[in-house]
Amino acid sequence: MGRHTLVTLGAVAVAILTGAVQFFDQETLHGPFLLDDRGTVTQNPCVKPEIPGSWERLWTYDYWCHQKLTDKDSHKSFRPITTLTFRWNYSFHGLDTFGYRVTNIAMHAVVCGLSVLAVVRSMVYPRLLEAFAAAIVFAVHPVHAEAVSNITGRAEVLSALLYLCGFLCYTTAHVRLPSGSWRPSNVLRFCLAYAALMAFTVLALLSKEHGITLPVMCAGWDAVTASGLSMRALVFGWSRHYTAEQRGRWRGWAARTCVLAASTLAVAYWRLSLNGETEPKFIKEQNPAAYADSRMERGLSYSWLYIRNLGLLVIPTQLSPDWTGGIIPNVESLSDWRVVPIACLYASLLAWLVWIMSPPTRAEDADDKLRKRASEILEILKRDSVMMMAWLIIPFFMSMNLVTTVGFVMADRVLYLSTLGYSMCLVTLPHVVSTVQSAQAAGKKESPEKPKDQDQGNQEAAAAVSDSPFKVAAALVLLVAGCYSVKCYH
């Protein structure tokens, strides 16, 4: 076992311990059943093996196990894997909340350990220090309080655990399959990785609905990290302007993405077929934005909710287990002051898209080695930023009211896995800013009077561009983690 492996295992172990200690307090462990815990545990017949027919109902009834999934009055939430873990808890210690909450905390701790490996896998060039710092922020983030402390929040934690397992299985076993390299061993390896991915997708989906996005995350990772193509090449890789090798990589990525897309649609169709011919019914108080009178009001209201969710990640000072009702009013017109931050949000996203699609600086255009090196690092960071945005948005996608209407305004718990993307952002953003500044500084013409000093300065600056920003970012992230940890305890 090499030194790097030992260091990685040590980082995973510390992340696991941090995640466990963060919520291991008297109030969390011995608190009573709260809110939805009564419906999912204490009054749920599927949790109690002594009730006749409870096992059969587990696989045909909704999450509360009082109505069949096909009934018109069912809310259509189907999470038998999560309910099965409640059933195991009940078999061992009845309705003692201690065992349920220890299980939640243990699952959260494992997710924290897996997040170190997931962040390493998500980066183009793995950097363990930054992955560890991001995992620590994830472990102690206060927004996890509902998902971990509330027993019903296990759906989020269990689904995230299976989500990360599927992601790591696929990325670990994944190999490039460019045109002309479809060897039997490579095809077999991809098929095994694909089978493991889809198995974890189904398990994550049956724990919480957003598990269906796991293949989308893997397809994004394949595009950004494994394909070896720039963002422009991913969009225009079929063009004759690219080399035969790049076009071959693009075809291999496109083929794998089509397989994942078809499989995702098939699993989604199977899951929707379980609902029968009816859709879930909600009332206006549960999600007022969905019942807005106009499309403009709905779009603006949804956009404002996105900003509020992002605010919970950045400044988690207003957490709540229930955001229903009129707590967050709709954005009814363009004269509302909230239109300004909404416009800023979409302007920022547009600027980011323009940045990641901008062509790289060619070697012959570089003024010196520093600028060339900064340009190379910037291209890597572009791809890292895409994965950061993927972890931020894709797990949250099913709660955005875009594909299906959800039965809540906001919920702290649905941000559980998206917090990993935010944690990665804290690490990546300082390096992006530092690299851009270094590239701009290198582009300025210096006086040729002292070429030796200039060359020496370029070498030192290049080293700083490569190493220093990540160390500073890691230190800042750990400082933020300390602040979040103090907030969580209070």
Side-chain angles (χ1 to χ4, degrees), residues 162-184:
L162 296 168
Y163 201 104
L164 292 178
C165 286
F167 177 78
L168 290 172
C169 283
Y170 184 82
T171 56
T172 300
H174 182 83
V175 293
R176 298 179 186 175
L177 295 176
S179 179
S181 297
W182 292 82
R183 296 190 297 270

Side-chain angles (χ1 to χ4, degrees), residues 169-235:
C169 283
Y170 184 82
T171 56
T172 300
H174 182 83
V175 293
R176 298 179 186 175
L177 295 176
S179 179
S181 297
W182 292 82
R183 296 190 297 270
S185 58
N186 285 347
V187 174
L188 176 61
R189 189 175 182 182
F190 173 75
C191 289
L192 291 176
Y194 165 78
L197 168 64
M198 297 314 300
F200 278 111
T201 298
V202 173
L203 291 174
L205 173 62
L206 296 181
S207 300
K208 185 67 185 290
E209 287 73 18
H210 65 245
I212 191 62
T213 63
L214 173 57
V216 180
M217 179 66 73
C218 291
W221 172 86
D222 194 349
V224 175
T225 304
S227 67
L229 299 172
S230 66
M231 301 310 300
R232 288 176 64 86
L234 286 171
V235 178

Side-chain angles (χ1 to χ4, degrees), residues 19 28 55 57 81 199 270 294 300 306 322 341 349 371 388 479:
T28 299
W55 178 257
R57 295 178 69 170
I81 302 300
W270 165 76
S294 66
L300 291 175
Y306 304 156
D322 187 8
L349 287 175
R371 189 177 178 187
M388 174 269 294
L479 179 61

Side-chain angles (χ1 to χ4, degrees), residues 291-304:
Y291 291 86
D293 296 330
S294 66
R295 292 184 178 180
M296 183 189 72
E297 182 180 344
R298 282 198 299 273
L300 291 175
S301 300
Y302 288 156
S303 299
W304 177 244

Side-chain angles (χ1 to χ4, degrees), residues 6 44 110 248 303 338 374 405 410 445:
L6 291 175
N44 190 337
V110 174
S303 299
R338 292 174 289 179
T405 301
M410 281 174 52
K445 298 295 183 178

Side-chain angles (χ1 to χ4, degrees), residues 269-285:
Y269 178 80
W270 165 76
R271 172 60 186 86
L272 289 174
S273 67
L274 299 179
N275 291 346
E277 299 179 355
T278 59
E279 296 182 356
K281 295 181 179 180
F282 303 113
I283 60 176
K284 184 176 182 179
E285 286 72 17

